[in-house]
Amino acid sequence: MVHTLSILVVDDNRIRASIIEDGLREAGHGPVHVITEINEVASRIGEIAPDVVIIDLENPNRDMLEHFFALSRVLQRPIAMFVDRADPGSIEAAVDAGVSAYVVDGLKKERVKPILDMAISRFNAFSRLRGELAAARSELEDRKTVEKAKGILMRTRGLSEDEAYGLLRKTAMNQNRKIAEIAQSLITAAGLLEP
């Protein structure tokens, strides 16, 4: 199966970059873009807009790792990172930065494709979980808003909890809006009316 992912390889060592590039091309991936000037990475990523980024740092110092971890946090793309040595702190920082695969001492042409596939799978799974978490938080906030609005209606109009919810629901249906939106409008209006 031929893949149509746009892949960016970042490596200041041309020989190591060619190992990754060869592994990707043999696996049927293309187009593959290679950047060997580390200082140009951020601007080139904007130009290329790759689907996946593979970074090979060989023996990075702490500043270089921090630079790429900061980049990883904003990219929102699958990232596979190869290094020759790492300490537990670097691995933990890579995971926190959203690096999908952090491979220590594993740069071999035949390993590039499975590591890339794993990075994409982990990124997709993490993105799905992040989306589900955001939806759950939003739903929780909506419930809190509706509860607060029900309290206002119960207090100001003498309604029961069910009657207050029914009034919010009916108003939302009549205005073709979400109950949480109606509840927020009510809370805002009640705040304006307070002395």
Side-chain angles (χ1 to χ4, degrees):
M1 179 178 157
V2 176
H3 300 271
T4 56
L5 292 173
S6 173
I7 301 172
L8 173 63
V9 177
V10 179
D11 196 333
D12 62 353
N13 182 320
R14 291 182 189 278
I15 295 172
R16 289 173 64 96
S18 69
I19 293 171
I20 297 171
E21 192 174 7
D22 289 348
L24 292 169
R25 292 196 194 283
E26 286 181 13
H29 286 288
V32 177
H33 306 274
V34 178
I35 297 175
T36 56
E37 286 297 323
I38 301 295
N39 295 333
E40 299 176 359
V41 170
S43 63
R44 293 297 313 275
I45 286 175
E47 295 168 13
I48 296 168
D51 298 310
V52 183
V53 178
I54 298 176
I55 301 170
D56 177 40
L57 296 177
E58 202 170 358
N59 290 309
N61 60 35
R62 197 72 175 147
D63 289 344
M64 185 179 283
L65 277 176
E66 286 300 323
H67 170 73
F68 279 101
F69 291 160
L71 195 61
S72 298
R73 287 184 191 95
V74 297
L75 273 180
Q76 301 298 315
R77 292 180 175 86
I79 297 172
M81 188 176 285
F82 290 89
V83 296
D84 280 353
R85 286 181 292 170
D87 55 79
S90 298
I91 294 169
E92 189 174 321
V95 171
D96 288 346
V99 172
S100 307
Y102 190 78
V103 183
V104 180
D105 194 24
L107 180 58
K108 293 178 183 169
K109 185 171 68 173
E110 60 274 10
R111 292 192 67 201
V112 172
K113 182 186 181 328
I115 289 171
L116 179 71
D117 291 345
M118 181 189 68
I120 293 170
S121 291
R122 289 183 74 187
F123 176 82
N124 289 338
F126 185 73
S127 295
R128 188 175 53 251
L129 287 174
R130 192 169 43 205
E132 289 172 2
L133 178 61
R137 285 181 175 159
S138 175
E139 187 175 322
L140 182 61
E141 287 303 314
D142 286 352
R143 284 186 184 184
K144 287 180 182 176
T145 302
V146 170
E147 288 300 316
K148 190 172 182 179
K150 284 192 320 188
I152 292 170
L153 288 174
M154 291 165 65
R155 189 176 60 249
T156 58
R157 297 190 56 183
L159 301 176
S160 69
E161 184 174 353
D162 287 343
E163 290 170 333
Y165 182 77
L167 181 57
L168 288 170
R169 185 168 180 263
K170 181 180 176 187
T171 305
M173 289 176 64
N174 288 342
Q175 295 184 14
N176 198 23
R177 295 169 62 190
K178 293 181 178 179
I179 293 176
E181 293 173 0
I182 297 298
Q184 185 58 55
S185 297
L186 176 66
I187 292 168
T188 301
L192 292 173
L193 295 175
E194 284 181 359

